C-alpha cells in the first residue's frame, strides 16, 4: 500500500512541476508583459498548478496516515521477518571460515596456525568442506584404480605412477582434513561428528589398502619413504627423539649429581633419603623433558595422562605387595632407623647395610654374603642398629679358680684394660666379680671404645688377659671331671686297664686310680665344671 500511494503522489507532484515550468517559460518569453491574453494564460496555468499541488498534498497526507496504520498493524510480522532477512544477508556476506582454508594446496603448517582462532562452528563447516574435498580426491583414486585394473599388464606400470600420485595427493588432503578434525576435537566439538569424520578417513584407507595390489602398495611405500612429510619426516623425528633422549639422560644425571650434592648440605637428612630425593629429581627431569620434546614434535600428550592414570589404577591391584614394600621403604627413609654403612640385625640376619632402594634393603654379612631383604619385612620386624652410636661397650667375662686371689685377679684385669690404647677413659671401664659359678669365680669386664674399634678391643683384651694370668700364676678353670677308680680283687695293672677303658668311654676326663689296703680298687667320681 505504501508503494501505491507513493506512486500516485509522485505523479501529481511531477505534473505540478511541469505546469510550473511552463508557466515560468511563458513569463520569461513574454518578459511578463501586460495584456489580457497573456494575463489570462498565466492565470490559468497558475490556477492549474495550485490545484494540483493541493491535490498532491491531500493525497500525501491521507494515504500517509493510512499507510502508517497499516504499517503499525503489520509491524509484528515485519519485525519477525526483517531480522531473518538481515541474518540471511549476513550469512551470505560473511563466510563461515576465512577464505583459503579449504585450498587443497595450502601448506599443512600454515593451516594448523590458521585453525587456532577458529570457533567450533567455523571448524565444523570447514571439516565438512574438507570431507567433500577428500571425497572427490578419493573418487578420482577409485576411478584410476578401476582404469588401471582394466589395462594390459604391459601398461599397468606406467599407469600405476599416476595412481600413486593421485593417492599421495589424496593423502595430503587427509592430513589437512585430520588437522581440522583434531582442532575441532580439542575445542569441544560434537563428539559424534568427530567420530564420524575419523571413521570416514579410517574406512577409506583400510578399504583401499585391502583392494590394492602388492605392486601399487610397494610403489606407495617407496613414495612415502622419500616424501618430505612422510618417511623423511619420520626419520628426522626418530633421530631427534633419540638424540634428545640421550641428551636428556645426560642432563638428568647432571641434575641428579647436583641435587645429591645440594641435599648433602641439608642437615638431618640421612643418606637413604638423600639418594631417594636425588632419584626423584632424576625421574622428574626425564618426565618433564619427554613432555617438552613430544610437544615440540607436535605429539598430543593429553591422552598419555589418561593412559598413565588407568595403568596406575590397574598396577595398584596387581602389585599390592610391591606397593607395601614401597610404603615401607618410604617409612624407612623418613624415620631413618639405619643408614648406609651401619651394621644392623634385621629379619634375623646381621650385616652391613650396603644399599636401600624404595622396595628392598641390601646388606653384606661379615663373610661377604649379599642378602636382599624386602622392605616390608625390614619395617615389620625388630631392627637392631649396632653402629648407630659413636661409642660401644665391650662386654667380656673372665673366670679364675676358687683357689686364686680375687684381689690379685682384679688388679691384673684393671692393669690390662687400662693399658690398651683404644679403651676410652670416659666412661671408665667396669670390672667386678659377677658370679660364683660351678668351677670358677667370674669377673665382668666392660670397657668403652669407639664403635669402629669394637672388635679390635674385644680380641686384644682376651689375648692380653690370658697372657697376664699365665704370667701372674692365675689359673683359668675349664670344665673337667675327676674320676677315682677302685677295682676290688684286682691288681694294679688290671686297675690301670680299667681306667683306660673308662677314658675311652668318657672323653676329656681326668682319672685317678688308688688301691686300697687290701689290694682292692674303688671308683670315685666327682666333677667340677669350670667356665
Amino acid at each position: 500500500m505504501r508503494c501505491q500511494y507513493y506512486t500516485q503522489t509522485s505523479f501529481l507532484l511531477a505534473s505540478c512541476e511541469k505546469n510550473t515550468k511552463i508557466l515560468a517559460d511563458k513569463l520569461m518569453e513574454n518578459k511578463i508583459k501586460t495584456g489580457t491574453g497573456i494575463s489570462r494564460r498565466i492565470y490559468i496555468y497558475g490556477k492549474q498548478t495550485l490545484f494540483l499541488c493541493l491535490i498532491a498534498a491531500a493525497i500525501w497526507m491521507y494515504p500517509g496516515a493510512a499507510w502508517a496504520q497499516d504499517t503499525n498493524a503489520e509491524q509484528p510480522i515485519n519485525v519477525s521477518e526483517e531480522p531473518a532477512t538481515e541474518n540471511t544477508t549476513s550469512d551470505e556476506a560473511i563466510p563461515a571460515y576465512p577464505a583459503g582454508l579449504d585450498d587443497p594446496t595450502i601448506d599443512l603448517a600454515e593451516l594448523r596456525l590458521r585453525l587456532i582462532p577458529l570457533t567450533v562452528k567455523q571448524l565444523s563447516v570447514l571439516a565438512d568442506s574438507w570431507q567433500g574435498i577428500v571425497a572427490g580426491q578419493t573418487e578420482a583414486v577409485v576411478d584410476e584404480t578401476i582404469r588401471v585394473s582394466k589395462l594390459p599388464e604391459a601398461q599397468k606400470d606406467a599407469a600405476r605412477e599416476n595412481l600413486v600420485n593421485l593417492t599421495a595427493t589424496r593423502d595430503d588432503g587427509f592430513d589437512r582434513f585430520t588437522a581440522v578434525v583434531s582442532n575441532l576435537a580439542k575445542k569441544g566439538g560434537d563428539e559424534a561428528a568427530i567420530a564420524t569424520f575419523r571413521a570416514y578417513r579410517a574406512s577409506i584407507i583400510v578399504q583401499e589398502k585391502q583392494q590394492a595390489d602388492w605392486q601399487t602398495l610397494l610403489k606407495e611405500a617407496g613414495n612415502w619413504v622419500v616424501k618430505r612429510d612422510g618417511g623423511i619426516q619420520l626419520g628426522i623425528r626418530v633421530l631427534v627423539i633419540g638424540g634428545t633422549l640421550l641428551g636428556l639422560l645426560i642432563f638428568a644425571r647432571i641434575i641428579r649429581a647436583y641435587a645429591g650434592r645440594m641435599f648433602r648440605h641439608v642437615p638431618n637428612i640421612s643418606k637413604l633419603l638423600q639418594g631417594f630425593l636425588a632419584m626423584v629429581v632424576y625421574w622428574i627431569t626425564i618426565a618433564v623433558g619427554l613432555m617438552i620434546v613430544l610437544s615440540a614434535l607436535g605429539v598430543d600428550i593429553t591422552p598419555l595422562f589418561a593412559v598413565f592414570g588407568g595403568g596406575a589404577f590397574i598396577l595398584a591391584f596387581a602389585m599390592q605387595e610391591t606397593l607395601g614394600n614401597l610404603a615401607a621403604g618410604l617409612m624407612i627413609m623418613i624415620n631413618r632407623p639405619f643408614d648406609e654403612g651401619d651394621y644392623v640385625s634385621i629379619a634375623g640376619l646381621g650385616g652391613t647395610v650396603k644399599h636401600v632402594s624404595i622396595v628392598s634393603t641390601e646388606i653384606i654379612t661379615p663373610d661377604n654374603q649379599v642378602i636382599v631383604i624386602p622392605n616390608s619385612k625390614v619395617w615389620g620386624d625388630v631392627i637392631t642398629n649396632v653402629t648407630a652410636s659413636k661409642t660401644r661397650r665391650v662386654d667380656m667375662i673372665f673366670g679364675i679358680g676358687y683357689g686364686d686371689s680375687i684381689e690379685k685377679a682384679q688388679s691384673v684385669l684393671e692393669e690390662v684394660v687400662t693399658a690398651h690404647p683404644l679403651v676410652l677413659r670416659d666412661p671408665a671401664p667396669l670390672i667386678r666379680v659377677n658370679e660364683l659359678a660351678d668351677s670358677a669365680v667370674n669377673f665382668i669386664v666392660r670397657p668403652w671404645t669407639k664403635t669402629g674399634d669394637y672388635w679390635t678391643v674385644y680380641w686384644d683384651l682376651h689375648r692380653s688377659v690370658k697372657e697376664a694370668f699365665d704370667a701372674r700364676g692365675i689359673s683359668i678353670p675349664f670344665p673337667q671331671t675327676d674320676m677315682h677308680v677302685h677295682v676290688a680283687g684286682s691288681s694294679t695293672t688290671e686297675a690301670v686297664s680299667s681306667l683306660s677303658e673308662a677314658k675311652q668311654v668318657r672323653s676329656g676326663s681326668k682319672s685317678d686310680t688308688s688301691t686300697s689296703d687290701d689290694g682292692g680298687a674303688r671308683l670315685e667320681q666327682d666333677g667340677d665344671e669350670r667356665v
Side-chain angles (χ1 to χ4, degrees):
M1 177 175 282
R2 178 182 178 183
C3 294
Q4 180 180 359
Y5 285 109
Y6 182 80
T7 302
Q8 295 176 358
T9 306
S10 299
F11 175 77
L12 294 175
L13 291 176
S15 299
C16 294
E17 182 181 1
K18 181 178 179 182
N19 291 333
T20 304
K21 185 177 181 181
I22 294 174
L23 178 61
D25 291 341
K26 293 295 184 180
L27 290 174
M28 293 297 296
E29 181 181 358
N30 295 288
K31 302 205 187 269
I32 315 180
K33 294 181 181 180
T34 58
T36 305
I38 297 174
S39 300
R40 184 171 181 80
R41 284 190 206 123
I42 294 173
Y43 172 76
I44 292 171
Y45 282 116
K47 186 177 179 180
Q48 291 177 353
T49 301
L50 180 60
F51 180 74
L52 292 175
C53 290
L54 291 175
I55 292 174
I59 293 174
W60 179 264
M61 293 295 294
Y62 176 74
W67 173 81
Q69 294 176 358
D70 293 339
T71 302
N72 293 331
E74 296 175 357
Q75 185 174 1
I77 299 176
N78 291 336
V79 168
S80 61
E81 293 178 354
E82 287 182 2
T85 303
E86 291 178 0
N87 290 338
T88 304
T89 305
S90 176
D91 292 340
E92 294 177 355
I94 302 176
Y97 51 83
L101 295 184
D102 54 359
D103 184 4
T105 61
I106 188 172
D107 184 68
L108 183 58
E110 179 184 354
L111 176 63
R112 286 175 177 150
L113 290 175
R114 292 186 179 276
L115 292 177
I116 295 176
L118 298 187
T119 62
V120 173
K121 182 178 180 181
Q122 291 175 318
L123 289 170
S124 300
V125 178
L126 183 59
D128 290 330
S129 300
W130 271 106
Q131 187 177 25
I133 292 172
V134 296
Q137 294 173 343
T138 304
E139 185 177 355
V141 171
V142 172
D143 293 340
E144 185 65 16
T145 303
I146 296 173
R147 189 184 72 82
V148 171
S149 64
K150 296 179 180 180
L151 293 175
E153 291 295 332
Q155 300 178 4
K156 284 186 177 181
D157 290 338
R160 284 194 185 96
E161 293 293 337
N162 185 37
L163 176 60
V164 171
N165 293 333
L166 290 176
T167 304
T169 303
R170 196 279 317 280
D171 291 342
D172 292 340
F174 267 138
D175 292 340
R176 288 151 181 78
F177 176 58
T178 302
V180 175
V181 174
S182 298
N183 200 285
L184 177 61
K186 291 178 181 178
K187 293 182 179 178
D190 185 13
E191 294 183 359
I194 294 170
T196 302
F197 289 143
R198 290 174 173 171
Y200 177 77
R201 177 183 182 276
S203 175
I204 289 177
I205 293 177
V206 171
Q207 293 183 54
E208 275 190 358
K209 298 302 181 283
Q210 290 176 347
Q211 300 296 329
D213 54 13
W214 67 271
Q215 295 94 335
T216 303
L217 293 176
L218 185 61
K219 285 184 176 293
E220 289 180 357
N223 286 350
W224 179 84
V225 169
V226 299
K227 191 177 178 181
R228 182 178 178 276
D229 54 350
I232 295 177
Q233 184 179 19
L234 179 61
I236 293 174
R237 287 188 174 184
V238 170
L239 292 176
V240 170
I241 292 175
T244 304
L245 286 177
L246 181 60
L248 186 60
L249 290 175
I250 296 174
F251 178 73
R253 288 178 179 272
I254 295 173
I255 293 297
R256 182 176 62 181
Y258 177 77
R261 290 194 299 268
M262 182 179 66
F263 290 140
R264 281 195 292 269
H265 291 85
V266 178
N268 299 325
I269 294 184
S270 65
K271 294 180 181 179
L272 302 178
L273 189 56
Q274 291 174 10
F276 175 74
L277 293 177
M279 183 184 66
V280 170
V281 171
Y282 175 79
W283 287 110
I284 289 177
T285 304
I286 291 179
V288 174
L290 281 177
M291 288 190 292
I292 294 174
V293 172
L294 293 176
S295 299
L297 292 175
V299 178
D300 187 8
I301 62 175
T302 304
L304 295 179
F305 292 102
V307 172
F308 289 150
F313 184 76
I314 295 173
L315 290 175
F317 287 95
M319 303 178 66
Q320 295 183 8
E321 294 185 2
T322 303
L323 292 177
N325 293 329
L326 176 66
L330 291 176
M331 295 301 295
I332 291 172
M333 292 177 183
I334 294 173
N335 292 279
R336 299 181 300 167
F338 53 83
D339 206 343
E340 292 181 0
D342 290 347
Y343 189 92
V344 296
S345 176
I346 50 179
L349 300 170
T352 303
V353 178
K354 180 181 179 182
H355 177 68
V356 178
S357 66
I358 198 67
V359 295
S360 63
T361 299
E362 183 178 334
I363 65 174
I364 300 179
T365 61
D367 56 348
N368 207 30
Q369 296 183 31
V370 177
I371 301 175
V372 179
I373 308 172
N375 282 337
S376 58
K377 292 186 177 181
V378 174
W379 186 249
D381 202 348
V382 177
I383 301 174
T384 303
N385 192 337
V386 178
T387 58
S389 302
K390 294 182 179 181
T391 59
R392 284 190 65 186
R393 190 183 70 185
V394 184
D395 292 350
M396 296 172 289
I397 298 176
F398 297 101
I400 64 172
Y402 276 92
D404 297 323
S405 172
I406 293 177
E407 291 79 4
K408 183 178 180 180
Q410 171 120 8
S411 175
V412 171
L413 290 174
E414 291 177 353
E415 179 182 345
V416 172
V417 171
T418 56
H420 198 286
L422 298 181
V423 173
L424 300 178
R425 301 296 179 264
D426 187 19
L430 177 65
I431 302 174
R432 294 290 185 272
V433 174
N434 183 61
E435 182 185 11
L436 300 177
D438 292 338
S439 58
V441 178
N442 293 331
F443 284 83
I444 57 170
V445 179
R446 295 178 178 178
W448 287 83
T449 185
K450 293 181 179 179
T451 301
D453 300 331
Y454 177 87
W455 290 108
T456 302
V457 172
Y458 183 88
W459 295 325
D460 289 350
L461 288 182
H462 274 83
R463 177 172 180 170
S464 299
V465 168
K466 174 64 172 65
E467 292 174 349
F469 278 1
D470 291 344
R472 302 293 178 88
I474 299 174
S475 64
I476 299 178
F478 52 88
Q480 63 182 4
T481 300
D482 293 338
M483 299 181 64
H484 304 275
V485 180
H486 302 276
V487 181
S490 299
S491 63
T492 305
T493 303
E494 292 175 350
V496 172
S497 299
S498 300
L499 180 60
S500 299
E501 292 176 0
K503 285 185 177 180
Q504 292 178 1
V505 174
R506 300 191 62 177
S507 176
S509 63
K510 181 180 178 181
S511 300
D512 264 341
T513 302
S514 61
T515 303
S516 61
D517 295 337
D518 58 355
R522 69 168 181 253
L523 177 64
E524 293 180 3
Q525 175 180 348
D526 69 40
D528 293 335
E529 186 174 356
R530 303 177 182 179
V531 180

